[in-house]
Amino acid sequence: MNAEEKFLSHLKDIHLAFPKLKIILEHATTEAAVKMVKSLGETVGCTITVHHLQLVVDDWAGKCHNFCKPVAKYPSDRAALRNVVKEGKFFLGTDSAPHPSHKKEGPDSCAGVFTTPLVFPYLATILESFGALDRLRGFACDFGRAFYEVKNEKWVGEVKLVREQWNTPEKYSFGGEGLDGEKGDVVPFMAGKPLGWKIASIN
């Protein structure tokens, strides 16, 4: 729940022992993690999920569909994540967990949120809310490719977004052949809440 900060000194030790080794701190959630990664060399990068740019502790405490691990932290931590999105060393790390509703809504709620179908509409809406819409492509596509030194000629497609007000679906249904007959619903991140962007096409 709060182990991230305890690990940061080990991250520093690993970097100092292997300064040429590329290391990624996945799914940072704290201001302390942002400060540590920024203090290390160019071989250390960091990812941030879509939902950690939006959630704070009050959004998941007692609200099972926003419960994930690592848990979202305090407003100051979210502010640090949002501020660093503009700097290029941090990039998107998607983390989507399509747990059926009945496994989220109970005393042993599974950790994770479901973002897969709407990652780009979520991201555009959230980035725009704190004045970072111009970093959409960089954060989602370019900064990570640059860190891993992936050449641009390997693009596999393009997602086109359009500005449109609409509401996130309340649920996605699944079931049928190939799933052992199991049927159910998955509640997506920000279910029923407004988004300002929509996917127009994927090429």
Side-chain angles (χ1 to χ4, degrees):
M1 300 287 274
N2 290 297
E4 181 176 296
E5 291 193 43
K6 300 293 185 182
F7 174 72
L8 297 178
S9 62
H10 300 289
L11 173 66
K12 182 176 181 179
D13 290 342
I14 294 169
H15 169 64
L16 293 175
F18 304 97
K20 294 183 180 180
L21 177 67
K22 284 185 177 283
I23 302 171
I24 293 289
L25 179 66
E26 292 282 7
H27 307 161
T29 65
T30 62
E31 182 178 11
V34 169
K35 289 180 177 178
M36 177 60 77
V37 172
K38 289 177 67 174
S39 75
L40 302 178
E42 292 303 313
T43 57
V44 180
C46 184
T47 68
I48 302 171
T49 71
V50 172
H51 48 283
H52 284 115
L53 288 173
Q54 182 72 8
L55 301 174
V56 294
V57 62
D58 287 342
D59 295 315
W60 65 263
K63 301 172 184 177
C64 60
H65 291 291
N66 286 338
F67 172 58
C68 58
K69 290 185 179 180
V71 297
K73 305 299 194 299
Y74 299 104
S76 59
D77 295 301
R78 183 181 65 181
L81 299 179
R82 289 180 168 189
N83 288 336
V84 82
V85 163
K86 302 176 182 180
E87 297 183 14
K89 192 174 184 179
F90 292 62
F91 45 93
L92 178 64
T94 55
D95 180 23
S96 186
H99 296 299
S101 296
H102 67 274
K103 292 186 177 180
K104 292 286 291 180
E105 299 167 355
D108 297 313
S109 178
C110 292
V113 298
F114 183 48
T115 60
T116 297
L118 303 174
V119 166
F120 285 107
Y122 289 141
L123 191 56
T125 300
I126 294 168
L127 291 181
E128 187 173 39
S129 74
F130 62 92
L133 184 60
D134 63 321
R135 287 297 189 174
L136 175 62
R137 175 170 170 157
F139 180 68
C141 305
D142 297 337
F143 301 158
R145 292 171 66 87
F147 182 85
Y148 285 114
E149 301 180 71
V150 175
K151 301 301 181 183
N152 287 336
E153 65 265 18
K154 294 186 178 180
W155 285 111
V156 296
E158 183 174 86
V159 177
K160 181 179 180 180
L161 297 175
V162 293
R163 187 183 295 278
E164 182 178 328
Q165 293 292 322
W166 65 295
N167 290 337
T168 308
E170 294 284 352
K171 63 183 180 180
Y172 288 91
S173 297
F174 69 89
E177 297 297 328
L179 294 172
D180 298 324
E182 183 181 5
K183 295 183 179 180
D185 297 318
V186 178
V187 176
F189 181 51
M190 296 176 65
K193 294 185 177 180
L195 296 175
W197 293 85
K198 197 168 189 176
I199 296 174
S201 63
I202 302 176
N203 298 319

